[in-house]
């Protein structure tokens, strides 16, 4: 991308961010849901879960919610892209004096920034509940959040551009959302997952982007001390690279057909 395309992409990004702030009720509901996860699950289950597996469930969940909050907010860009394609609003976007590369990059970037903006308050909450990370840990949190947000916004866009049918779009997005949401280690440690799920499913859960991000956050906040942080960071980077390429190709193909 040249300098002009970068400026065009930033304009698209600012447009999407302005729309993001208009979803006050959605943002409020998401915030309430994530806080309820911490309050209800953590407070109630803190004295019920086996401390052999989770010594402090409040800290365990507070760091896991970082991944969940980023994932949910970044994923929201897919719904908007799907609506624009279905209502043919994309024709208007294509009529603007900007390149298609800038349009694709701007949409992915806006989804990434949504995830980072929404997550900021939960990072502060994790600092209050779990403790302050080191400078290295804080930088790792920012890098992980950027990778997770980029991969989830890209995945949502790829799903929404795969079909124009509203029912199929909604079905694919919901299925992907709930698979990544529930089949993760946000709420349960690996030891519990091994007791409840077959080994092949546990292996998938361990390498899902939400689980990888949760592990990295817990390491950065000193809750975990024995994970292979470099390997997990590399896997998350691979996830992001693949979903970025997939989203870009599918979105560009859809735009080319118009």
């Amino acid at each position: 991308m040249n300098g002009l395309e970068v400026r065009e992409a930033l304009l698209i990004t600012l447009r999407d961010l302005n729309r993001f702030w208009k979803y006050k009720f959605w943002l409020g509901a998401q915030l309430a849901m994530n806080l309820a996860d911490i309050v209800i699950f953590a407070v109630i289950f803190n004295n019920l879960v086996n401390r052999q597996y989770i010594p402090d469930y409040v800290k365990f969940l507070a760091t896991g919610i970082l991944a969940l909050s980023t994932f949910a907010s970044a994923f929201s860009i897919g719904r908007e892209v799907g609506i624009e394609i279905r209502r043919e609003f994309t024709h208007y976007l294509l009529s603007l004096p900007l390149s298609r590369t800038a349009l694709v990059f701007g949409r992915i970037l806006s989804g990434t920034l949504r995830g980072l903006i929404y997550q900021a308050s939960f990072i502060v909450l994790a600092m209050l509940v779990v403790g302050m990370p080191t400078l290295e840990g804080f930088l790792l949190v920012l890098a992980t959040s950027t990778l997770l947000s980029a991969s989830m916004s890209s995945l949502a866009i790829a799903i929404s551009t795969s079909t124009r049918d509203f029912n199929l779009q909604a079905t694919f997005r919901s299925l992907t959302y709930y698979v990544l949401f529930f089949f993760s280690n946000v709420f349960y440690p690996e030891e519990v997952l091994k007791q409840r799920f077959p080994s092949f499913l546990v292996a998938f859960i361990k390498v899902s982007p939400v689980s990888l991000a949760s592990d990295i956050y817990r390491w950065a906040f000193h809750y975990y001390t024995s994970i292979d942080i470099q390997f997990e960071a590399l896997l998350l980077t691979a996830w992001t690279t693949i979903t970025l390429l997939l989203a870009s190709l599918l979105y560009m193909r859809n735009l080319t057909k118009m």
Side-chain angles (χ1 to χ4, degrees):
M1 293 178 65
N2 56 40
L4 177 60
E5 288 180 326
V6 171
R7 289 194 294 271
E8 293 171 349
L10 291 177
L11 288 175
I12 293 295
T13 301
L14 289 175
R15 164 189 172 270
D16 282 348
L17 289 180
N18 287 331
R19 295 175 64 185
F20 184 58
W21 295 118
K22 294 180 181 179
Y23 300 148
K24 296 181 179 63
F25 294 107
W26 183 87
L27 288 171
Q30 284 291 123
L31 184 64
M33 182 183 70
N34 291 144
L35 289 174
D37 286 336
I38 296 176
V39 173
I40 296 175
F41 280 92
V43 173
I44 292 178
F45 289 104
N46 189 45
N47 295 320
L48 297 178
V49 296
N50 191 334
R51 293 188 181 274
Q52 178 183 351
Y53 301 136
I54 309 179
D56 191 325
Y57 194 74
V58 175
K59 293 181 179 181
F60 177 84
L61 189 57
T63 45
I65 290 298
L66 290 179
L68 205 58
S69 61
T70 308
F71 157 59
S73 52
F75 208 76
S76 66
I77 191 67
R79 178 178 178 276
E80 294 180 26
V81 171
I83 291 175
E84 290 175 356
I85 291 175
R86 193 170 65 254
R87 295 178 178 176
E88 299 187 344
F89 182 78
T90 312
H91 288 296
Y92 165 73
L93 295 176
L94 292 175
S95 70
L96 299 175
L98 51 85
S99 69
R100 298 186 178 189
T101 301
L103 176 58
V104 172
F105 180 75
R107 305 313 298 276
I108 295 175
L109 179 60
S110 65
T112 303
L113 291 177
R114 286 181 178 190
L116 295 175
I117 292 170
Y118 179 78
Q119 189 202 44
S121 59
F122 288 96
I123 292 179
V124 175
L125 180 61
M127 290 179 179
L128 295 174
V129 173
V130 186
M132 291 290 294
T134 62
L135 177 59
E136 178 189 7
F138 184 73
L139 294 176
L140 184 60
V141 168
L142 294 181
T144 301
S145 299
T146 302
L147 289 172
L148 180 63
S149 296
S151 63
M152 291 300 98
S153 62
S154 301
L155 182 60
I157 289 174
I159 293 171
S160 295
T161 55
S162 62
T163 177
R164 291 173 178 270
D165 185 273
F166 169 74
N167 292 323
L168 287 178
Q169 283 183 2
T171 300
F172 291 157
R173 280 200 309 271
S174 297
L175 181 61
T176 305
Y177 183 95
Y178 286 111
V179 166
L180 292 175
F181 183 99
F182 289 109
F183 291 96
S184 70
N185 62 6
V186 170
F187 298 101
Y188 313 104
E190 182 180 343
E191 293 80 1
V192 173
L193 294 173
K194 288 180 178 178
Q195 296 177 11
R196 303 298 179 184
F197 296 109
S199 57
F200 75 90
L201 191 54
V202 174
F204 165 78
I205 293 173
K206 287 176 59 179
V207 299
S208 74
V210 177
S211 294
L212 291 171
S214 297
D215 283 345
I216 297 173
Y217 289 140
R218 286 166 181 149
W219 185 89
F221 279 92
H222 310 296
Y223 186 85
Y224 282 168
T225 58
S226 60
I227 68 170
D228 189 343
I229 190 66
Q230 293 181 342
F231 178 69
E232 299 215 2
L234 183 62
L235 280 179
L236 184 59
T237 303
W239 262 103
T240 304
T241 302
I242 293 171
T243 52
L244 278 171
L245 290 174
L246 181 62
S248 300
L249 291 173
L250 287 177
Y251 199 10
M252 188 65 73
R253 185 197 66 177
N254 189 287
L255 293 175
T256 304
K257 290 182 176 180
M258 293 182 177

